[in-house]
Amino acid sequence: MHLNQLRYFVSVAATRSFTKAAEIHFMTQTAVTQQIKALEARLGFELFDRSKRPIELTPAGKVFYKEAKTILMRVDMAVEKAREAMIGTTGTLRIGFEKGYERSNLSDALRKFHKMYPSILFTCLRKDTDSLAKFLLNDELDVIFGWDSMNLRENERIGYKLEYRSGLCVALYDHHPYASMPSLTRADLRDETILYMSPASEGNSFGDAHFLNLYKKAGYKPNILLKSSDVESILMMVASEVGISILPTYSVEKLANADNLVFVPLEGEDEYEDIHMFWDKHSENAALACFLEFMGV
């Protein structure tokens, strides 16, 4: 017994005609008749009462017809699921994003991706940028969104795409002398107590060196009270008037009714943060391939 025999049988049973079944499968009537006889021989009982016109299913044939349709339906579903898995319309995708980036438009993109590929399960992890890079390199994440604080773009194994260039802003408590300013420069913050937003949980990375060098270019060494990679903790301390902070605008632009907080744009040629999407170019995850295509890679 093979699947084609089941398909021929179901067609004959549905049309009650060997001729019509042969037309459906682009075969001769003789060929279909031979296949049904071979199936009956394999089963050990007749499926059709050929003495009647049109032909009818025998009692055993009626039972077998119901089960055969179920078998064929399950086979077709299995083939479809396997095909979806092959082209990446099913599977799992592990996504990482840097702290604060949850307030960007990433959620909008993920929502649209989910609607397009509802069978792909994606999980999200929020970490500092250096931790995300390590997870990607260790194959613990499939794709990450963050600032390139570990020079991932220099790694031949890693693919990347610039997703967003974010300006920087100064987070102030609302009665700070600078709170009403239309914009500020890093030089304006010379005498301020800084709550430093670090791209690394350890507070000591290539990314830190880049941003600290901007203070040097402004002509001073900052008075850093705290280094943290947690945006929420920094904002809590600013609201408590412990100090001020420089943050990427994406991390605060969706804040509504922020208690005792004011955000002033930071002006300057280098005052921005580039958010890249990074992935392993050698990954065989078909779901990742779908996501990259969706993201315009």
Side-chain angles (χ1 to χ4, degrees):
M1 183 192 312
H2 52 74
L3 288 176
N4 281 341
Q5 287 178 333
L6 292 182
R7 297 188 192 281
Y8 304 149
F9 162 68
V10 167
S11 295
V12 173
T15 62
R16 299 178 68 184
S17 169
F18 286 95
T19 301
K20 291 180 180 179
E23 293 174 354
I24 291 172
H25 295 283
F26 302 98
M27 299 171 63
T28 65
Q29 178 181 338
T30 300
V32 172
T33 300
Q34 290 175 343
Q35 289 296 323
I36 298 301
K37 287 182 177 179
L39 178 60
E40 289 175 323
R42 176 69 179 83
L43 294 173
F45 54 80
E46 290 188 347
L47 296 168
F48 296 101
D49 183 349
R50 294 169 173 79
S51 66
K52 297 183 178 180
R53 291 291 182 271
I55 59 174
E56 294 182 358
L57 288 165
T58 63
K62 291 179 180 179
V63 174
F64 191 71
Y65 176 56
K66 180 179 179 181
E67 298 301 323
K69 287 197 299 181
T70 301
I71 290 171
L72 291 174
M73 181 182 67
R74 289 178 177 174
V75 168
D76 290 342
M77 288 177 60
V79 171
E80 183 60 27
K81 287 182 178 181
R83 184 179 292 112
E84 288 177 348
M86 179 186 69
I87 64 176
T89 54
T90 62
T92 301
L93 186 66
R94 301 163 298 174
I95 302 171
F97 58 91
E98 74 169 53
K99 294 178 179 179
Y101 200 56
E102 66 274 9
R103 296 198 181 99
S104 69
N105 292 326
L106 178 60
S107 59
D108 294 334
L110 295 182
R111 181 174 63 254
K112 293 175 183 177
F113 177 74
H114 177 61
K115 288 181 178 180
M116 185 176 294
Y117 297 100
S119 296
I120 293 180
L121 170 66
F122 63 82
T123 60
C124 295
L125 179 67
R126 177 179 180 267
K127 286 283 186 180
D128 62 272
T129 58
D130 285 10
S131 294
L132 291 175
K134 292 173 183 176
F135 282 134
L136 178 64
L137 294 171
N138 291 333
D139 194 30
E140 296 176 72
L141 288 172
D142 297 302
V143 59
I144 64 172
F145 294 84
W147 192 68
D148 191 11
S149 62
M150 287 185 65
N151 272 335
L152 284 176
R153 287 173 293 175
E154 299 299 319
N155 190 323
E156 294 183 356
R157 168 187 157 192
I158 301 301
Y160 63 90
K161 175 179 179 284
L162 178 63
E163 278 301 308
Y164 182 62
R165 172 162 287 185
S166 172
L168 302 180
C169 66
V170 184
L172 305 160
Y173 43 92
D174 61 8
H175 64 275
H176 188 283
Y178 290 155
S180 60
M181 296 288 287
S183 65
L184 292 167
T185 67
R186 199 172 290 261
D188 294 329
L189 309 180
R190 177 185 301 270
D191 298 322
E192 299 294 330
T193 299
I194 303 296
L195 305 171
Y196 176 72
M197 176 66 187
S198 172
S201 56
E202 297 85 2
N204 183 21
S205 71
F206 170 81
D208 288 296
H210 169 80
F211 284 115
L212 291 174
N213 188 53
L214 294 181
Y215 286 105
K216 184 177 180 180
K217 287 183 178 181
Y220 67 99
K221 182 177 180 180
N223 176 26
I224 296 177
L225 176 66
L226 169 78
K227 286 186 179 182
S228 174
S229 62
D230 187 5
V231 176
E232 302 300 333
S233 296
I234 288 177
L235 289 176
M236 177 65 75
M237 295 182 71
V238 173
S240 301
E241 305 182 11
V242 175
I244 68 169
S245 186
I246 296 176
L247 301 171
T249 54
Y250 64 74
S251 67
V252 300
E253 59 190 358
K254 289 186 178 180
L255 280 177
N257 301 318
D259 184 32
N260 199 31
L261 289 173
V262 175
F263 305 106
V264 177
L266 187 65
E267 300 292 339
E269 181 180 356
D270 298 319
E271 302 296 0
Y272 63 86
E273 179 179 308
D274 282 343
I275 297 296
H276 286 82
M277 178 175 66
F278 298 98
W279 66 92
D280 187 339
K281 292 190 292 187
H282 302 303
S283 172
E284 297 181 357
N285 186 350
L288 173 61
C290 283
F291 185 71
L292 294 178
E293 182 178 4
F294 171 79
M295 295 297 289
V297 176

